[in-house]
């Protein structure tokens, strides 16, 4: 069973990265002394994140351009840039076949953008939850959002079947599951991260049972296959309106997480240390949960249940830049987007039938996570 670090085991030592970022604290007891020149520390961290981000961003951009070549109608990177610049009015009308424009703007373009968006959202949410709960084994679905979104989508397929109904009910189901988790935690009467994790397991199990019930009553010829394949995850349903549906909540939630990145960095040291640094722990924790949940629900509502991205990618980033959340958050988003785009390229480029994303992310993510586990051992943060 997944447990939250502080309540379930020995107290985490004060992270080296937090000591470096907040030199006014003398050791793991969190006793406060005079903080010296924190602005210079922030500038150094931002410069490091920017340098790593530019390199990773360039690699993801090249991957995105190369992804247009994969498929039954390959489109060269030069043609992609010509079409995009022409749409922005930066070049003359491109002298290209209309089929190229349709592939870039209406078919492959929205799908590539959705892979980047969903991967970035899941990875950023996973990094946030792992730092917030101080537990390396939690994922974006820890509070039941994935199971709730799956139930909402299954209900949408059963009662309506339209894309808008499925997306709206999936998003609402994810938020409802998280609200139930928070409510159950409050009903127990303890402001404990461990209680929230256990409540999330209970809520997830409940919504998984509801999904199974909907499968039983669904039409086995028309509705049941739709529910099954939606739960496996995939981006084959993506078009421009669908992408726009998820774009706003993901961007707003991502901006909130970025604005709170230093507070999350402080929370990694423990609640007492964060309070000593002036962090309003209950308020910041609630905002983080809401933002990460909204990102996850929006992603699941358009892509189905895609596992391992939010669990694996933050660990890969920590192996690269260390435990500093100020760096982990943006780099996890970039690497998560690139990872899911690469997996989606593999899903639609191998064989004649597209492989569901959830299957491929598990086949790739599980062995990679085993390697991370063997290397990290007990030093998760």
């Amino acid at each position: 069973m997944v447990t939250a670090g502080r309540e379930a085991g020995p107290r985490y030592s004060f992270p080296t990265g937090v000591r470096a970022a907040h030199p006014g604290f003398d050791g793991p007891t969190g006793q406060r002394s005079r903080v010296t020149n924190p602005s210079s520390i922030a500038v150094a961290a931002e410069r490091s994140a920017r340098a790593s981000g530019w390199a990773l961003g360039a690699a993801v951009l090249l991957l995105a351009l190369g992804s247009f070549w994969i498929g039954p109608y390959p489109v060269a990177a030069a043609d992609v840039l010509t079409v995009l610049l022409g749409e922005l009015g930066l070049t003359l009308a491109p002298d290209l076949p209309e089929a190229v424009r349709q592939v870039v703007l209406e078919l492959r373009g929205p799908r590539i953008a959705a892979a980047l968006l969903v991967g970035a959202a899941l990875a950023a949410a996973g990094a946030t939850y792992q730092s917030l709960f101080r537990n390396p084994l939690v994922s974006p679905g820890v509070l039941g959002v994935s199971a709730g979104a799956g139930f909402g989508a299954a209900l949408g397929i059963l009662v309506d079947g339209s894309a808008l109904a499925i997306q709206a009910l999936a998003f609402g189901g994810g938020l409802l599951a998280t609200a139930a988790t928070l409510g159950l935690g409050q009903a127990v009467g303890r402001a404990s991260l461990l209680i929230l994790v256990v409540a999330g397991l209970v809520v997830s199990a409940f919504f998984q049972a509801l999904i199974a019930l909907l499968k039983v009553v669904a039409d086995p010829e028309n509705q049941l296959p739709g529910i099954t394949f939606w739960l496996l995850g995939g981006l084959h349903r993506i078009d421009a309106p669908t992408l726009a549906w998820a774009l706003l909540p993901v961007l707003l939630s991502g901006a909130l997480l970025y604005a709170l990145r230093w507070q999350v960095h402080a929370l990694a040291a423990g609640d007492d240390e964060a309070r000593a640094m002036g962090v309003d722990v209950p308020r910041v924790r609630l905002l983080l949960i809401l933002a990460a949940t909204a990102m996850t629900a929006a992603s699941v509502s358009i892509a189905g249940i895609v596992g391992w991205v939010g669990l694996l990618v933050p660990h890969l980033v920590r192996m690269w830049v260390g435990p500093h959340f100020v760096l982990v958050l943006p780099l996890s988003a970039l690497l998560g987007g690139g990872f899911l785009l690469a997996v989606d390229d593999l899903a639609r480029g191998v064989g004649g039938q597209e492989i569901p994303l959830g299957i491929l992310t598990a086949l790739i993510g599980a062995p990679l996570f085993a390697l991370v586990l063997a290397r990290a051992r007990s030093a998760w943060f």
Side-chain angles (χ1 to χ4, degrees), residues 238-292:
I238 298 296
D239 53 18
T242 301
L243 178 63
W245 163 269
L247 187 62
L248 184 60
V250 169
L251 291 182
L252 291 179
S253 300
L256 179 59
L257 293 181
Y258 188 77
L260 296 174
R261 64 195 184 281
W262 285 105
Q263 287 88 331
V264 180
H265 193 56
L267 283 172
D271 292 354
D272 295 337
E273 290 82 359
R275 289 190 187 95
M277 295 165 59
V279 177
D280 186 348
V281 174
R283 176 177 173 272
V284 170
R285 182 179 293 164
L286 179 61
L287 289 175
L288 293 173
I289 289 175
L290 292 177

Side-chain angles (χ1 to χ4, degrees), residues 93-374:
D95 186 18
L96 294 171
E98 180 63 20
V100 173
R101 182 181 179 278
Q102 290 180 350
V103 169
V104 172
L105 298 179
E106 300 177 14
L107 299 177
R108 215 161 288 167
R111 178 166 182 160
I112 291 172
L116 294 172
L117 182 71
V118 171
L122 293 176
T128 301
Y129 277 133
Q130 289 172 10
S131 295
L132 176 64
F133 288 94
R134 298 190 293 279
N135 190 310
L137 298 179
V138 299
S139 64
V142 67
L143 298 183
V145 58
S146 295
F151 167 72
L155 185 62
I157 294 173
L158 193 65
V159 301
D160 188 290
S162 67
L164 180 60
I166 295 171
Q167 293 160 19
L169 287 173
F171 184 76
L175 297 182
L176 176 62
T178 302
T181 299
L182 296 176
L184 182 58
Q186 290 293 325
V188 173
R190 291 183 56 193
S192 167
L193 294 175
L194 174 60
I195 293 298
L196 279 182
V197 172
V198 175
L201 293 175
V202 172
V203 171
S204 293
F206 178 76
F207 277 100
Q208 290 288 356
L210 292 179
I211 292 174
L213 179 61
L214 292 182
K215 286 183 176 181
V216 170
V217 301
D219 183 350
E221 294 185 0
N222 298 319
Q223 297 172 331
L224 183 57
I227 294 175
T228 301
F229 280 100
W230 191 95
L231 293 174
L232 290 175
L235 298 173
H236 55 278
R237 301 174 294 268
I238 298 296
D239 53 18
T242 301
L243 178 63
W245 163 269
L247 187 62
L248 184 60
V250 169
L251 291 182
L252 291 179
S253 300
L256 179 59
L257 293 181
Y258 188 77
L260 296 174
R261 64 195 184 281
W262 285 105
Q263 287 88 331
V264 180
H265 193 56
L267 283 172
D271 292 354
D272 295 337
E273 290 82 359
R275 289 190 187 95
M277 295 165 59
V279 177
D280 186 348
V281 174
R283 176 177 173 272
V284 170
R285 182 179 293 164
L286 179 61
L287 289 175
L288 293 173
I289 289 175
L290 292 177
T293 297
M295 295 177 75
T296 305
S299 301
V300 174
S301 70
I302 66 171
I305 299 178
V306 180
W308 290 96
V309 179
L311 177 62
L312 172 66
V313 170
H315 287 298
L316 297 177
V317 173
R318 289 191 195 97
M319 293 173 63
W320 177 17
V321 299
H324 318 296
F325 186 78
V326 176
L327 306 179
V328 170
L329 177 65
L331 294 179
S332 292
L334 281 173
L335 183 59
F339 173 77
L340 192 61
L341 177 58
V343 173
D344 185 58
D345 288 343
L346 183 62
R348 61 189 177 87
V350 176
Q353 183 175 358
E354 183 173 326
I355 304 173
L357 269 185
I359 295 176
L360 277 182
T361 53
L363 289 175
I364 297 172
L368 285 178
F369 190 75
L371 294 176
V372 171
L373 177 63

